[in-house]
Structures are given as structure tokens and as C-alpha cells.
Amino acid sequence: MVPLSFPFHVAELEVGQHLYWQIGNLNLHGQVFISSWVVISALLVLVITGTRKMERDPQGVQNLLEFLWDYLRDLAREQIGEKAYRDWLPFIGTLFLFIFGCNWGGALVPWKLIELPNGELGAPTADINTTVAMALLVSLSYFYAGLSRKGLRYFEYYVEPTPIMLPFKIIEDFTKPLSLSFRLFGNILADELVVGVLAFLVPILVPLPAMFLGLFTSAIQALIFATLAANYIGEAVHEEHH
Amino acid sequence: MSDLTSAASVLAAALAVGLAAIGPGIGQGTAAGSAVEGIARQPEAEGKIRGTLLLSLAFMEALTIYGLVVALVLLFANPFVK
């Protein structure tokens, strides 16, 4: 990648610069790992403190977690259906919380204070590798969901309602992860770039509205990723009523 | 990088975002208009309509984002630059 950086004092913009960790023949993007570990530990701390001392009348963190659980359960039930949603609620919930944490963590945590030898910390979801990994996980899980629930009858889905749909359904299996990953990656990278460019032009006050818009779209993107993942799984386990 | 490649890449990046914004712009306008109409007709369904609207707006926005990704690839990770 060709780095583009503006060497000014107030703000800096870097694209395609990574902190590389070499493991064997693999080049890992270190900054993604560091920030996603931060996000994962923050989520763990939140969940563990919220479920330590559970009470009948939820208060504080437990209240928040119960609200989240309700919200995610409704989402999964609506998309997957009454019968199968319980198996997939943990997966959908984890996806939503991790993406939401990544997006907001990238925007809210002042990563710039931490100096890296190369590249900079930011939202892990602004790296195509993270989003492709999650999208492929979604693909695997809807295949697994369909095959484990219906066996080989799952492939009837490809020729319903008519066999003419077969090529389109096969292409769909490839476009699903493609669009899932690119949508999330593009949105988050675009948010970071817009804020970066504005901060580079006018370093005070002007980027604020763009930052708020970024927070809003980040939350929506997390919701969309989770909803679509649930929808694909729901499509795979859906039983036709003849 | 040859001058021709960079000029063509910058032009292509601008066209990619600009053209990709037209369709979703029209689509989002139509969707938002219909949502307002729906809310005016049935104000009690506002919550449901808002949720659906936001979800479908994000789908349309994704198309522009694809254009943006192509533009960013052309600008920052151009495969034709040796």
C-alpha cells in the first residue's frame, strides 16, 4: 500500500500503514490485535461485573445487560424464528456486542495518546481482515445451521421455488460475505477518514458533528451486521410449509 | 508511477464516489418520503417505521460505500502502480 501522510503538527492522516508482527510466514496487523484485545477485555469486565451479584430487581450494570439481552433476543427471534433462535442468540449477541464495542471504541478512546512505531490504533473493524473474518464466520454458521437442522434437505432451498433460481442462489452465497464485510469495513473506514480529514483541515469544533454522525452510523452498522447474520441463519433454518 | 496512471486513478476515484452516490441518493429520498407519508397517515406506527427506514437506508448507503471503497483502493492501494 502507498502511504499518504500529511506531515503537519496539528493532525496527521495515515492510510495503509500497519504495525506488522511477524509470526512464521505471516504478517499480522498488530494494531488491530491490540485494539480488539482492549475491546474484548472491556466487554468481559462489563459482563462479569454485571453478572457477579445478580438480584431480582436489576440495578446498574445488571439492568443495562438485561436490557441488551432483551434487545438481542427480540432481534434474533424476529429474524431466525421461534424454534431455532435460542441456539443462535449467543453468536448473534457476541457479533453485535463485539462490532459495537469495536466501532465505538475506535471513535471514543483517545488512541492517539499511545505512540506506535508504525501505523496507528483505531477501530479494529476499519481493517478489512477483521470484517472478512467475521463475514466468513457468518457464512460458515448459516451453512452449519441449515445442514444440522435439515440435513441434505437444506439444498432444496437452492431450487425453491423454481430450479431457475439455482445460479442466483449460488452466487448469493458468495455475495453475502462480500457485502457484509465491505459494508462494515467501508462505513467505519469512511467515518474515520472523514473525521481525520476534517481534523486535519480545522482541528477544533468542526469535526464534532461528523464524529456524532460517525457514532450513529457505527451503532447502526453493528445492528445491521447482527440483523443480517440472523437473517441469513433464519433463511437457512426456515421450514417451508407445504 | 506514471503521470497517466495517477491522473486516471484520481479521475476514476472521483467518478466512482460521485456516480455511486446518485442511485442511493434517489432511493433514500424515495424511502424517506414514503416513511414520512406513512407516519403522517399512521402516527402510532412511528417506531416500527423508523426502525425499518434506518435499516433500509443503511442498505442503500452500502452501495455508495462500495464506490467509496473502490475510490480508496484507487487512491491508497492502487494495484496498477509498480
Side-chain angles (χ1 to χ4, degrees):
Chain A
M1 283 197 174
V2 183
L4 182 100
S5 55
F6 304 98
F8 281 80
H9 299 294
V10 276
E12 219 179 343
L13 196 62
E14 284 176 345
V15 174
Q17 291 278 63
H18 303 291
L19 173 73
Y20 285 111
W21 288 347
Q22 187 107 32
I23 296 180
N25 287 327
L26 295 172
N27 261 331
L28 301 180
H29 292 178
Q31 85 277 17
V32 176
F33 280 88
I34 297 174
S35 38
S36 51
W37 286 334
V38 172
V39 171
I40 291 168
S41 38
L43 282 176
L44 276 180
V45 166
L46 182 80
V47 172
I48 290 172
T49 51
T51 52
R52 257 292 271 298
K53 268 183 269 160
M54 299 230 268
E55 290 168 36
R56 279 191 77 87
D57 294 327
Q59 279 181 339
V61 186
Q62 192 195 341
N63 205 352
L64 175 74
L65 289 181
E66 287 194 8
F67 165 73
L68 274 176
W69 190 85
D70 264 358
Y71 184 72
L72 291 169
R73 185 203 51 192
D74 287 349
L75 191 157
R77 188 163 57 187
E78 201 171 294
Q79 302 292 337
I80 302 180
E82 196 67 56
K83 275 183 196 154
Y85 85 96
R86 272 173 193 283
D87 301 338
W88 292 99
L89 179 57
F91 180 61
I92 304 295
T94 312
L95 273 180
F96 176 80
L97 285 180
F98 180 66
I99 295 172
F100 185 79
C102 285
N103 294 350
W104 274 40
L108 293 178
V109 180
W111 298 108
K112 289 265 178 196
L113 298 180
I114 305 165
E115 283 284 327
L116 289 184
N118 196 19
E120 57 187 3
L121 292 168
T125 36
D127 191 296
I128 187 81
N129 299 308
T130 320
T131 58
V132 166
M134 287 190 291
L136 287 179
L137 266 183
V138 171
S139 289
L140 280 182
S141 44
Y142 79 70
F143 269 110
Y144 173 74
L147 287 174
S148 67
R149 188 156 272 264
K150 298 203 246 171
L152 286 177
R153 274 199 309 116
Y154 166 65
F155 293 103
E156 279 176 5
Y157 158 78
Y158 286 86
V159 288
E160 267 168 9
T162 62
I164 304 166
M165 295 297 282
L166 182 67
F168 301 105
K169 298 245 172 161
I170 292 173
I171 291 172
E172 221 173 38
D173 278 333
F174 293 96
T175 53
K176 273 172 182 173
L178 193 78
S179 67
L180 261 187
S181 56
F182 267 68
R183 180 182 301 118
L184 184 59
F185 162 71
N187 269 292
I188 305 307
L189 184 69
D191 282 342
E192 291 204 337
L193 275 182
V194 166
V195 172
V197 167
L198 281 179
F200 161 71
L201 294 172
V202 191
I204 194 164
L205 281 180
V206 177
L208 267 180
M211 283 177 178
F212 280 115
L213 185 70
L215 285 182
F216 178 67
T217 40
S218 309
I220 296 278
Q221 287 309 318
L223 174 65
I224 288 192
F225 197 101
T227 312
L228 281 179
N231 192 323
Y232 296 157
I233 293 170
E235 236 171 40
V237 299
H238 180 70
E239 294 280 355
E240 286 292 331
H241 298 290
H242 291 291
Chain B
M1 179 192 321
S2 77
D3 281 347
L4 186 64
T5 319
S6 47
S9 303
V10 170
L11 203 62
L15 283 177
V17 176
L19 291 179
I22 297 175
I26 297 171
Q28 291 192 331
T30 317
S34 308
V36 170
E37 217 170 82
I39 292 172
R41 194 170 294 170
Q42 232 178 336
E44 67 273 10
E46 196 194 339
K48 246 185 181 168
I49 292 176
R50 193 198 289 127
T52 321
L53 176 69
L54 283 181
L55 208 68
S56 35
L57 285 188
F59 275 118
M60 294 177 227
E61 182 148 318
L63 301 176
T64 317
I65 297 288
Y66 297 156
L68 182 78
V69 169
V70 171
L72 289 177
V73 165
L74 283 174
L75 289 180
F76 298 114
N78 199 324
F80 303 110
V81 173
K82 303 261 160 32

